[in-house]
Amino acid sequence: MDKKLGVYVCKGCGIGDAINVEALSEAIEGLDVTPHLFKDVPVLCSKEGVDTIKADIEGEGINAVVVAACSPRVLYDVFDFPGCLLERVNLREGVTWCQPPGEEDTQMMANDYLRLGITKISKSELPEPFKPEEEISKRIMVVGGGMAGLTAALEGAKAGYEVVLVEKEAELGGWKAKFYKEFSAPYNDIHDLSVTSLIQQVQGHDKIKVYTASEIDKTAGGPGLYSVDIKSNGGSAQEKIGAIVMATGWKPYDPSNLEHLGYGKFKNVVTNIQMEEMAKAGKIVRPSDGGPVKKVGFIQCAGSRDPERLPYCSAVCCLATMKQATYLKQMDADSQAYVVYKDIRTPMQTEDLYRKVQRDGAVFIRGEVESVSEQGGSLVIEAMDVLLNDKVRLEELDLVVLATGMVPTSMPAEIPKKEMPAEGGGTELREVAPDSGFFSTPALRLQYRQGPEIPTLKYGFPDSHFVCFPYETRRTGIYAAGVAHRPMDSTQAKSDAAGAMLKAIQVVEATAVGAAVHPRSGDMTYPDFFMQRCTQCKRCTEECPFGAINEDEKGNPLPNPTRCRRCGVCMGACPERIISFKNYSVGMIGSMIKSIHIPEEDEEKPRAVVLVCENDAYPALDMAGLQKLRYSPFVRVIPMRCLGGLNLVWIADALSRGVDGILLLGCRHGDDYQCHFIKGSELATTRLSKVAETLNRLALESERVKVEEVSIADAHRIPEILNEFMETLEGIGPNPYKGW
Ligand code: SF4
Ligand code: SF4
């Protein structure tokens, strides 16, 4: 593309007072690209300002626009010029609001940022959206026909999308259909099952195709292009699918681990699931002899919140007990319930049901169960009451009900083992890591290089970020809903299912126009591989966090652009530097670093390049600016899609040009990670650990390169982090390669 560049500098929001806008035009002399137009405008986001740019696009043929004004994170709808390349230079939050006005160093900072922006646009091309040869499907598959799956299917169909629902059981409804009654709003009582009408609506909807007694044999392709083989009633079918909602549900915690609470020892110790079965059958009786039940002890958190058993709270067992205590009262007004609990967790309006059960006469004992035993055919619970600080003995119980928790179906009964390299050489059989793709039990049987299933977190729930991207899994286009996602009750499962279906709709719509989904929603670029120089090293296929790149039998990468989230991790991984995007490449960032003006050593103006993750660290920097926090004027911030895109050549180039240090600001990693691209900051840290050795060999101090973890809420830490890094560099002294 022949570029005709227009540079527009805003003088509003204090920019014109803090920096000499006219001097900026001199600072960009000598760059590879000379602007066709350079204009300063009093308020660029005003109608007059935007019209100025539009008029130049129309009249002067400007097709590449640099807007030097506020952060690119704001007013993106105002500065939108279809068909033109656009680069935003952050002079407001990034310079004017975090530096003293009128100072030489402030001006130098602004100069450099404009140079960076112009260099970037000069290396960018307009993206051409990915258009596969095959037609994009907008049909959405829902796997699992329980409460969440049924709701997702119905919501999708109501929104006008064709839905394929696959359920492994012969009947729809999941666990819910096997229960007697439900707790749902209004919570002052229990109610008949709402799942019954949901099943009817799904079965009667002409946009929903239902497969029961069916399993998925194979899921190939990617968003918009999935080809799903379904085994059904002895036959098979193939469906073209655009996105998948995984509502595969849960299974009860295995009670065989609860022998200490009498399960398996005494027939009259049952789980809350067995209690439902009895209630559904119309009679709650003693399993030992079919005799009547008058006194029942409920034991909460049976195995739950126990590091040795089920470490988490399932968030429903307390309400299930309230419901079952109500069954007792409804079936026999003379019955008596005792509930031994650690905490009663009945949030928000569900507290009404707790109050009702209290009013009905149930006795609540806060404490730890010490033993469950049998005496004369009845059961006895001994517990330590932590409120009375005394022992409590519940005698002559006809039944003890264990409130067991929920385990996602993706959690295998045993953690699978795999042949892996042993420390002393050879291989050994070891438990696989949760994120290995082998952890979950097969539901989708994905044809992905990384494995057949969705990577899970430690409790077997699909990996996603609870706050930032709650429905997403590590496989683009596949969204978890209901208890497949996290423990929840059926009311929550319904809203969760609607959310997951919305995400599925977003992905099919975005894929149809070649755009990315979260977190780079709307991005039309995708990685381009210059395959002639590929050495089949497999780094890109191994490091892509989303399994977007398969391999052929010779080890050549086979990118699936519709699975790609455009993070650029593969770009950083590739030692041959043959992966690039139309507006993001190793060469581009390298050129940007080279465009930074490096003062001579005797000027005592050190320079640090700060490579910043655009998802958390860059917003934190913006917030620091917004709060007018001051930090060193010697840093030069370059945003990255993800620190996982870090290519070590940038470090070498920067240091050899005399940059004094390189700081990476990225997300927290590890178990409680916050990286929007899962392991980008972790990869960057690993790559940097290799750099430290190289620096030492080159007689450059390893402290010149550092990585810091910041979250989006860390604006207050920004000055401290940047200033401390600059102090370290000043302590070490100037880069000896300066001026070479
Ligand atoms: S850009 Fe990210 S998601 Fe896309 S192929 Fe590369 S590593 Fe995978
Ligand atoms: S990382 Fe680069 S060289 Fe290695 S397989 Fe991928 S594209 Fe080829």
Side-chain angles (χ1 to χ4, degrees), residues 529 533-540 557 573-576 578-579:
F529 291 64
R533 280 194 10 233
C534 174
T535 58
Q536 291 90 30
C537 72
K538 302 188 180 178
R539 296 233 190 117
C540 56
C574 179
E576 300 299 316
I578 61 174
I579 305 174

Side-chain angles (χ1 to χ4, degrees), residues 248-283:
T248 43
W250 59 283
K251 52 192 175 186
Y253 178 68
D254 180 0
S256 66
N257 297 318
L258 303 175
E259 207 181 322
H260 65 298
L261 298 177
Y263 191 85
K265 270 206 276 191
F266 311 120
K267 282 189 175 164
N268 294 338
V269 176
V270 299
T271 67
N272 46 8
I273 297 290
Q274 288 168 285
M275 181 71 164
E276 284 295 333
E277 286 165 358
M278 285 195 276
K280 183 105 177 169
K283 215 169 174 193

Side-chain angles (χ1 to χ4, degrees), residues 593 596 598 607-609 653-662 704 735 738:
I593 292 172
I596 295 171
I598 308 290
R607 287 290 178 265
V609 169
D653 281 359
L655 291 171
S656 63
R657 281 204 68 243
V659 168
D660 295 283
I662 295 113
R704 291 191 186 276
N735 177 349
K738 215 180 267 287

Side-chain angles (χ1 to χ4, degrees), residues 349-369:
Q349 293 162 330
T350 61
E351 190 86 355
D352 288 349
L353 192 57
Y354 178 23
R355 284 199 203 97
K356 174 196 156 36
V357 175
Q358 284 176 317
R359 279 197 304 273
D360 285 349
V363 175
F364 287 82
I365 299 144
R366 186 172 191 197
E368 288 286 339
V369 172

Side-chain angles (χ1 to χ4, degrees), residues 3 5 7 27-35 66 85 87 89 111-125 582-597 638:
K3 287 174 200 138
L5 178 65
V7 176
I28 57 173
E29 284 170 11
L31 291 177
D32 286 352
V33 173
T34 307
V66 170
L85 278 170
E87 186 54 33
V89 173
N111 292 350
D112 272 342
Y113 282 144
L114 192 56
R115 293 167 68 84
L116 284 166
I118 292 176
T119 306
K120 182 173 178 197
I121 206 166
S122 73
K123 304 285 175 195
S124 296
E125 292 295 327
K582 291 278 190 217
N583 60 5
Y584 190 56
S585 67
V586 175
M588 169 193 285
I589 304 269
S591 299
M592 289 169 74
I593 292 172
K594 284 179 191 151
S595 74
I596 295 171
H597 171 68
I638 299 181

Side-chain angles (χ1 to χ4, degrees), residues 462-584:
D463 188 3
S464 68
H465 195 284
F466 190 74
V467 177
C468 298
F469 32 99
Y471 301 106
E472 301 191 2
T473 69
R474 279 206 221 169
R475 298 294 173 254
T476 312
I478 303 176
Y479 303 97
V483 185
H485 184 192
R486 64 178 170 81
M488 62 180 78
D489 66 31
S490 57
T491 305
Q492 290 173 340
K494 284 196 215 168
S495 61
D496 201 61
M501 179 50 75
L502 261 178
K503 294 295 293 183
I505 290 171
Q506 279 176 0
V507 84
V508 293
E509 292 300 337
T511 304
V513 294
V517 286
H518 176 92
R520 294 191 55 81
S521 311
D523 185 358
M524 293 289 188
T525 66
Y526 58 92
D528 196 10
F529 291 64
F530 184 66
M531 287 306 297
Q532 286 90 328
R533 280 194 10 233
C534 174
T535 58
Q536 291 90 30
C537 72
K538 302 188 180 178
R539 296 233 190 117
C540 56
T541 49
E542 278 164 10
E543 291 194 4
C544 171
F546 303 104
I549 314 170
N550 281 5
E551 275 162 18
D552 68 12
E553 59 290 347
K554 290 188 184 140
N556 289 308
L558 297 174
N560 289 271
T562 70
R563 292 184 196 166
C564 173
R565 303 244 188 122
R566 284 70 163 173
C567 60
V569 166
C570 53
M571 182 184 97
C574 179
E576 300 299 316
R577 291 178 238 151
I578 61 174
I579 305 174
S580 60
F581 298 76
K582 291 278 190 217
N583 60 5
Y584 190 56

Side-chain angles (χ1 to χ4, degrees), residues 197-246:
S197 99
L198 201 51
I199 293 169
Q200 284 165 359
Q201 289 177 68
V202 164
Q203 285 173 330
H205 206 295
D206 60 1
K207 281 196 173 296
I208 305 176
K209 182 174 179 182
V210 178
Y211 287 92
T212 48
S214 303
E215 269 191 51
I216 290 166
D217 203 24
K218 192 169 98 180
T219 303
L225 303 168
Y226 286 116
S227 172
V228 183
D229 292 355
I230 301 167
K231 278 192 292 189
S232 183
N233 293 315
S236 66
Q238 192 173 68
E239 297 284 357
K240 296 287 173 203
I241 297 292
I244 298 169
V245 173
M246 206 176 67

